[in-house]
Amino acid sequence: MDIFSHGLYGGVLTGRKSRKSFWTAFIFGISPDLFSFGIFTLSILLGFVSGPDWGSHAPDPSLIPNYVGILYDITHSLIVFSVAFLAVWLIRGKPMMEMLAWGFHVALDIFTHSFAFFPTPFLWPISNYKFDGHSWGTSEIFIPNVIALCSLYAWWWYKKSSFPNEKRNPKM
Ligand SMILES: [Zn+2]
């Protein structure tokens, strides 16, 4: 899925407690792409390297530098995510629910990336198995994605305003 949708899903699914919680979840939601393609995109924008033609189609994966693939393996692995989630749980003595946005990002990518461009290495480093999903760039995925996001945010908005007499968290 595109990075912006990942952030929005993270925020609405795991960050509804407060503004801080929302943005923490948003950052966790975008972080797998931020720390792989984001670094590459930044180096293109800063003029350090020239980038592939993104055009209307995904570019040839061979034009993407190796380190992006390595970072993609690490950030898009449910194994790495689980270890990090449990480690934070152990250190804090309670789970950090906003981190689940990271896991949800990977879960969503499994089904919305095809073999044509960066299928999700969700079992790395234990297994190389990848699922041949349906690209999020196609209208069959992108339009339902927008509808799902609008519905989730409408539901959240409705839930917050459906009981006006109840005392609400002023930060929300
Ligand atoms: Zn991703």
Side-chain angles (χ1 to χ4, degrees):
M1 204 58 82
D2 68 288
I3 189 165
F4 194 61
S5 296
H6 280 305
L8 290 175
Y9 276 119
V12 75
L13 292 176
T14 69
R16 297 191 309 276
K17 269 195 322 234
S18 64
R19 225 171 269 270
K20 188 181 162 222
S21 172
F22 179 87
W23 288 110
T24 307
F26 189 94
I27 299 292
F28 271 112
I30 65 171
S31 57
D33 290 347
L34 195 65
F35 294 114
S36 51
F37 274 98
I39 296 171
F40 181 47
T41 308
L42 189 69
S43 61
I44 295 168
L45 292 176
L46 293 176
F48 294 134
V49 290
S50 58
D53 177 21
W54 291 90
S56 57
H57 293 283
D60 182 350
S62 68
L63 299 173
I64 311 286
N66 255 346
Y67 78 87
V68 178
I70 295 165
L71 292 171
Y72 200 82
D73 282 346
I74 298 167
T75 56
H76 285 73
S77 159
L78 286 179
I79 314 278
V80 174
F81 157 71
S82 304
V83 170
F85 185 76
L86 291 173
V88 169
W89 190 339
L90 266 177
I91 293 163
R92 294 172 84 229
K94 57 177 180 180
M96 187 182 200
M97 298 316 278
E98 292 86 352
M99 279 184 84
L100 292 174
W102 173 8
F104 188 72
H105 177 133
V106 179
L108 208 57
D109 271 1
I110 293 172
F111 302 103
T112 57
H113 278 252
S114 72
F115 281 168
F117 192 74
F118 281 78
T120 309
F122 64 104
L123 294 174
W124 184 89
I126 290 172
S127 161
N128 225 358
Y129 173 79
K130 285 161 191 159
F131 180 77
D132 189 15
H134 199 81
S135 171
W136 60 262
T138 58
S139 53
E140 303 93 87
I141 299 284
F142 200 74
I143 292 168
N145 171 51
V146 172
I147 294 171
L149 276 171
C150 289
S151 310
L152 280 168
Y153 276 84
W155 162 76
W156 185 21
W157 175 81
Y158 171 76
K159 230 178 63 134
K160 282 202 295 180
S161 57
S162 54
F163 303 106
N165 295 329
E166 259 179 34
K167 198 167 179 257
R168 298 209 309 268
N169 182 351
K171 270 187 166 173
M172 296 288 272

